[in-house]
Amino acid sequence: MATASVAFKSREDHRKQIELEEARKAGLAPAEVDEDGKEINPHIPQYMSSAPWYLNSEKPSLKHQRKWKSDPNYTKSWYDRGAKIYQAEKYRKGACQNCGAMTHTAKACMDRPRKIGAKYTNKNIAPDEKIESFELDYDGKRDRWNGYDPSTYHRVVDLYEAKEDARKKYLKEQQIKKLEEKNNNQEGDDAASDGEEDDDDLRVDEAKVDESRQMDFAKVEKRVRTTGGGSTGTVRNLRIREDTAKYLLNLDINSAHYDPKTRSMREDPLPDADPNDKFYLGDNQYRNSGQALEFKQMNIHSWEAFDKGQDMHMQAAPSQAELLYKNFKVAKDKLKTHTKDTIMEKYGNASTEDEIPMELLLGQSERQVEYDRAGRIIKGQEVILPKSKYEEDVLANNHTTVWGSWWRDHKWGYRCCQQTIRNSYCTGSAGIEAAEASLDLMKANIARKEACEDSPKKVEEKKMAAWGTDVPEDLELNEEALANALKKEDERKREEKDERKRKYNVKYTNDVTPEEMEAYRMKRVHHEDPMKDFM
């Protein structure tokens, strides 16, 4: 598919090429391999995989899609900041009159202007700077991080660590000061009340740390009549950065499933943790509890009432829908109570007569799951989490393994019978032995053929007889008869060239001797001979 040269193909070859591409897309044939031995994706379109004709690509490849022409002058190096080249001791002609460096003039000098320049004092001559020039490409000129030294970031880290150390030191001093004041207080009740107030003050002090960054978190600054028109403003992000994302609460792959598209996690990620310590119990917990459940039931009620012909809509008239839902609940409760009282009057109430035995109250149900010390299930059934939307472990056609459990020569197959044909019937170990036997036979035939090709037989040169058959070994020609036959053949050729010398009476005989046939063969014109025109 990824061929470059477009050669003429017959209709049959074109059909075979299309069938091969379809088989590669379906996985029935091995993928095409490029020059580097890598497999080419058969689903790549032809306009991307086919190389231009001027590249003269003989083998399938995708190199024409990569950047093959690189700029030899491009470099990723950057200026050597602060580097010096040469330190002069005396002022040189053409150097900067202020500092004495040869790499710039006095107008471009970045040193402090001296009262008397180095040209006149010959002292404190500045060293020459290292001047470099680079040829950057389009991206290199616009790279804002080009030349950045990552090792300089430790200054920012040191600054924040110094702030944190200062904050801890300040809090520790305040705590020691409060404890000293508490020890100096002699009254017990006052000391207890003061201690509680001091603890509260410490908590407040911790909360007020870096107050300059937190006090105006809800402040909105607007700017009216801007260049583009309208007003602009910025609002600080109010999300608490200490909150952990719900997909990071439990990193086990068998835990609750998280859907990144809808950002939903239906089940509880930490089912075994203490409910008092958890702040997230899963989306199903919030959907089926509190006002969310009541709102869902109200929506269902409005839909059913609208289908039955009542004029109500949850979004158009929410107050009306809520009032009708409350009336419906009251009427439903009254009907339930009336039905319950009617049944009790007719059949009686067994719950008030005899108490239920403790064995039934504390009885176990099948919903409970029990495990042993090794983690095996003793009673109940564990919740099975689907790992794939496709069917797994489906064995068909007498196979004991699934499709894809065997791989050989760029082909998938079944491991039980080592067949590479999908949906084939399993032949078991007998099929494996038959396949190995046929493979050994094919290898033996190939080796025999190669051995025959390596030692070719000597072909004996056969002389053709006058009548087109092999020359017999006992054939002997008479030299005198052959010379006479050659003379007669020359006369016959001469008569054919000049028709005036042809006689009226033509003699014809069917008896041709071997000497005459040999003379004819020697005198006839060889059209493939390049010297035939000079004979």
Side-chain angles (χ1 to χ4, degrees):
M1 182 177 179
T3 55
S5 59
V6 181
F8 175 75
K9 293 182 180 179
S10 62
R11 182 178 297 179
E12 186 67 20
D13 295 340
H14 185 66
R15 185 182 62 80
K16 290 181 179 180
Q17 181 68 21
I18 293 176
E19 291 179 356
L20 180 60
E21 291 178 1
E22 295 296 333
R24 285 171 177 169
K25 291 179 181 179
L28 303 178
E32 198 171 10
V33 182
D34 61 358
E35 298 176 354
D36 301 332
K38 299 180 181 178
E39 295 183 357
I40 299 175
N41 191 345
H43 299 281
I44 297 178
Q46 186 178 7
Y47 73 92
M48 295 175 60
S49 60
S50 58
W53 59 269
Y54 50 81
L55 292 181
N56 297 327
S57 181
E58 298 178 355
K59 297 182 179 180
S61 176
L62 294 175
K63 288 185 177 180
H64 60 278
Q65 292 289 350
R66 304 183 181 95
K67 185 179 180 182
W68 58 275
K69 187 176 182 181
S70 59
D71 188 4
N73 298 326
Y74 175 70
T75 178
K76 291 186 178 180
S77 57
W78 196 244
Y79 300 101
D80 191 1
R81 297 179 179 177
K84 308 298 181 182
I85 299 178
Y86 176 70
Q87 174 68 51
E89 298 179 357
K90 294 182 179 181
Y91 180 79
R92 294 160 293 177
K93 185 178 180 180
C96 176
Q97 298 181 4
N98 183 42
C99 65
M102 288 289 293
T103 52
H104 60 270
T105 60
K107 188 175 181 180
C109 185
M110 300 299 294
D111 286 1
R112 177 183 59 82
R114 304 182 184 181
K115 187 175 183 180
I116 301 175
K119 179 180 180 181
Y120 305 103
T121 59
N122 258 342
K123 296 180 180 179
N124 299 328
I125 304 296
D128 299 341
E129 297 91 353
K130 185 179 180 182
I131 299 177
E132 298 175 289
S133 61
F134 302 104
E135 295 183 4
L136 301 177
D137 58 353
Y138 182 86
D139 296 331
K141 293 178 181 178
R142 290 157 180 81
D143 188 4
R144 60 192 297 263
W145 293 103
N146 196 358
Y148 174 73
D149 187 7
S151 60
T152 59
Y153 187 73
H154 73 278
R155 302 175 185 173
V156 181
V157 177
D158 295 342
L159 178 62
Y160 279 93
E161 288 179 353
K163 288 183 178 180
E164 185 67 19
D165 295 341
R167 185 185 71 86
K168 292 180 179 179
K169 184 178 180 181
Y170 173 76
L171 291 177
K172 189 173 182 180
E173 292 177 355
Q174 293 294 327
Q175 188 176 7
I176 294 173
K177 185 177 180 181
K178 297 293 182 183
L179 291 175
E180 291 177 355
E181 293 179 356
K182 180 180 178 181
N183 293 332
N184 294 332
N185 195 355
Q186 300 296 332
E187 298 179 1
D189 296 337
D190 296 341
S193 60
D194 291 343
E196 295 176 358
E197 293 177 357
D198 295 340
D199 295 338
D200 295 339
D201 293 340
L202 287 175
R203 296 190 189 98
V204 171
D205 291 338
E206 292 179 359
K208 287 183 178 181
V209 173
D210 203 4
E211 189 177 5
S212 61
R213 280 188 272 177
Q214 298 181 3
M215 63 183 298
D216 57 344
F217 69 96
K219 184 179 180 182
V220 179
E221 298 178 357
K222 291 187 177 181
R223 189 156 39 98
V224 187
R225 295 179 182 177
T226 58
T227 306
S231 61
T232 60
T234 57
V235 180
R236 293 182 182 273
N237 192 352
L238 303 181
R239 185 175 76 84
I240 302 176
R241 296 292 178 177
E242 288 78 9
D243 289 347
T244 306
K246 53 188 174 183
Y247 54 82
L248 297 178
L249 294 175
N250 192 350
L251 300 179
D252 188 6
I253 59 174
N254 295 324
S255 63
H257 174 68
Y258 174 74
D259 186 11
K261 185 175 182 180
T262 58
R263 299 181 181 178
S264 61
M265 183 180 286
R266 301 180 184 275
E267 299 182 5
D268 187 3
L270 300 172
D272 300 331
D274 188 5
N276 299 324
D277 299 338
K278 293 190 294 185
F279 67 94
Y280 180 74
L281 303 175
D283 294 343
N284 290 340
Q285 179 69 18
Y286 299 125
R287 285 198 188 101
N288 301 327
S289 61
Q291 295 182 351
L293 180 61
E294 186 178 354
F295 182 74
K296 186 190 298 182
Q297 293 174 355
M298 192 185 304
N299 267 327
I300 296 172
H301 174 260
S302 63
W303 296 336
E304 293 177 351
F306 182 78
D307 292 339
K308 293 178 181 179
Q310 193 169 357
D311 188 11
M312 63 178 299
H313 196 277
M314 185 64 190
Q315 281 74 28
S319 301
Q320 178 190 6
E322 186 177 1
L323 181 59
L324 292 176
Y325 179 64
K326 288 182 179 179
N327 296 336
F328 169 74
K329 284 173 49 176
V330 172
K332 186 177 181 180
D333 293 340
K334 287 183 180 180
L335 181 61
K336 281 185 178 180
T337 305
H338 178 69
T339 305
K340 183 178 179 180
D341 295 341
T342 304
I343 294 174
M344 286 185 178
E345 289 177 1
K346 186 174 182 180
Y347 298 103
N349 189 1
S351 61
T352 58
E353 296 176 357
D354 298 329
E355 296 183 357
I356 300 176
M358 296 299 295
E359 291 80 4
L360 296 178
L361 289 176
L362 302 178
Q364 296 181 355
S365 64
E366 291 297 328
R367 294 182 180 178
Q368 184 178 359
V369 182
E370 294 184 5
Y371 302 88
D372 59 359
R373 293 183 178 180
R376 294 185 293 268
I377 299 176
I378 299 175
K379 183 180 291 184
Q381 187 176 5
E382 192 175 5
V383 179
I384 300 175
L385 299 176
K387 297 183 178 179
S388 174
K389 66 178 181 180
Y390 303 101
E391 296 182 354
E392 297 182 359
D393 300 333
V394 178
L395 305 177
N397 296 334
N398 201 29
H399 288 285
T400 57
T401 57
V402 296
W403 170 260
S405 58
W406 177 256
W407 170 264
R408 174 180 285 181
D409 298 336
H410 303 280
K411 292 182 181 179
W412 293 105
Y414 299 95
R415 187 177 183 85
C416 54
C417 57
Q418 298 182 4
Q419 293 193 55
T420 57
I421 301 175
R422 187 73 181 271
N423 296 328
S424 61
Y425 194 79
C426 183
T427 56
S429 58
I432 297 175
E433 294 175 359
E436 292 178 353
S438 63
L439 183 61
D440 296 339
L441 182 60
M442 182 178 66
K443 290 181 178 179
N445 293 335
I446 293 173
R448 191 182 303 109
K449 184 177 180 182
E450 291 178 353
C452 294
E453 291 178 354
D454 293 341
S455 58
K457 296 181 179 179
K458 294 183 179 180
V459 180
E460 298 180 356
E461 296 182 357
K462 296 182 179 179
K463 296 182 180 180
M464 302 300 295
W467 295 276
T469 58
D470 295 341
V471 178
E473 297 179 357
D474 56 349
L475 179 64
E476 294 181 0
L477 298 176
N478 191 355
E479 298 294 336
E480 296 180 359
L482 180 60
N484 296 330
L486 289 173
K487 290 180 181 179
K488 290 182 180 180
E489 186 66 23
D490 291 338
E491 294 177 357
R492 189 181 66 81
K493 292 281 186 181
R494 203 176 300 112
E495 290 178 358
E496 287 182 357
K497 291 181 180 180
D498 192 358
E499 295 182 356
R500 293 176 297 178
K501 295 183 179 182
R502 179 181 297 178
K503 299 179 180 180
Y504 293 100
N505 298 326
V506 179
K507 295 180 179 180
Y508 174 76
T509 177
N510 195 21
D511 297 333
V512 180
T513 62
E515 289 80 3
E516 294 176 351
M517 201 65 190
E518 184 67 18
Y520 167 76
R521 185 185 64 80
M522 294 173 65
K523 292 294 182 178
R524 71 177 178 177
V525 178
H526 297 275
H527 296 280
E528 65 275 6
D529 189 1
M531 303 295 291
K532 61 182 176 52
D533 296 333
F534 301 96
M535 293 177 67

